[in-house]
């Protein structure tokens, strides 16, 4: 997979992001979906990447800087037909490496707690993420799972 800086004006990227947001919101209780929309991904504190298998867009992912030492994984999604081929793991590895390169000591994320999100839970845990409490403006929510990775230890 080739990882590139994401173009939030590319219609293929917009279509995959629209699907990601719609699917996440359909699987999450009202008020508990925290996926970034296009405007959120275009914010100056967000770095966004796309993953390509040849000419096919297969994955997206973003890193939001919460402060100089803490980042948040955002907008992780792999095309349904490209799952179980390692693309999600490659994108997550890229985000982790970018966070380290930027000098961040901690990387956190929020994802859904429902069965639909279990494959994501497994991916994050396989990369060393562990449970944590809400961070940076999130509140306790039975529909959310909060995970963090200590970048200084790995």
């Amino acid at each position: 997979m080739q990882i590139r800086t994401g173009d939030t004006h590319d219609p293929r990227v917009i279509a995959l992001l629209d699907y990601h947001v719609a699917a996440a919101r359909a699987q999450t209780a009202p008020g508990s979906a925290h996926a970034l929309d296009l405007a959120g991904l275009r914010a100056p504190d967000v770095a966004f990447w796309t993953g390509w298998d040849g000419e096919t867009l297969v994955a997206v992912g973003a890193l939001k800087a919460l402060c100089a030492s803490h980042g948040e994984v955002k907008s992780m999604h792999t095309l349904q037909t490209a799952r179980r081929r390692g693309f999600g793991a490659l994108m997550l590895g890229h985000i982790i490496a970018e966070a380290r390169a930027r000098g961040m000591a901690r990387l956190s994320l929020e994802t859904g707690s429902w069965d639909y999100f279990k494959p994501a839970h497994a991916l994050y845990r396989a990369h060393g993420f562990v449970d944590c409490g809400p961070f940076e403006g999130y509140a306790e929510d039975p529909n959310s799972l909060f995970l963090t990775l200590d970048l200084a230890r790995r």
Side-chain angles (χ1 to χ4, degrees):
M1 177 174 80
Q2 181 187 35
I3 296 176
R4 305 177 193 159
T5 299
D7 177 359
T8 58
H9 299 285
D10 183 321
R12 298 167 295 180
V13 173
I14 292 169
L16 185 57
L17 289 168
D18 284 348
Y19 176 83
H20 166 63
V21 171
R25 290 187 178 151
Q27 294 294 328
T28 306
S32 294
H34 304 287
L36 291 178
D37 60 11
L38 283 170
L41 288 170
R42 292 175 180 150
D45 60 346
V46 175
F48 172 65
W49 299 280
T50 52
W52 299 84
D53 182 22
E55 293 301 312
T56 303
L57 174 63
V58 294
V60 293
L63 171 63
K64 180 177 182 180
L66 302 176
C67 67
S69 63
H70 189 191
E72 181 180 6
V73 176
K74 297 295 291 183
S75 300
M76 278 284 299
H77 186 81
T78 302
L79 183 69
Q80 185 70 34
T81 57
R83 292 189 179 166
R84 300 189 188 278
R85 292 175 47 200
F87 296 131
L90 289 170
M91 181 60 75
L92 183 58
H94 178 79
I95 293 169
I96 292 168
E98 283 289 327
R100 279 196 178 107
R102 293 168 189 229
M104 293 179 177
R106 181 175 167 207
L107 191 57
S108 301
L109 63 93
E110 179 278 338
T111 190
S113 63
W114 301 11
D115 286 348
Y116 172 83
F117 298 98
K118 285 193 177 191
H121 301 169
L123 172 66
Y124 297 130
R125 291 184 195 289
H127 280 81
F129 284 81
V130 296
D131 292 0
C132 68
F135 58 93
E136 196 65 32
Y138 289 105
E140 273 301 332
D141 182 348
N143 299 304
S144 290
L145 175 67
F146 301 100
L147 299 169
T148 196
L149 177 64
D150 181 349
L151 295 172
R153 282 205 275 170
R154 283 183 49 107

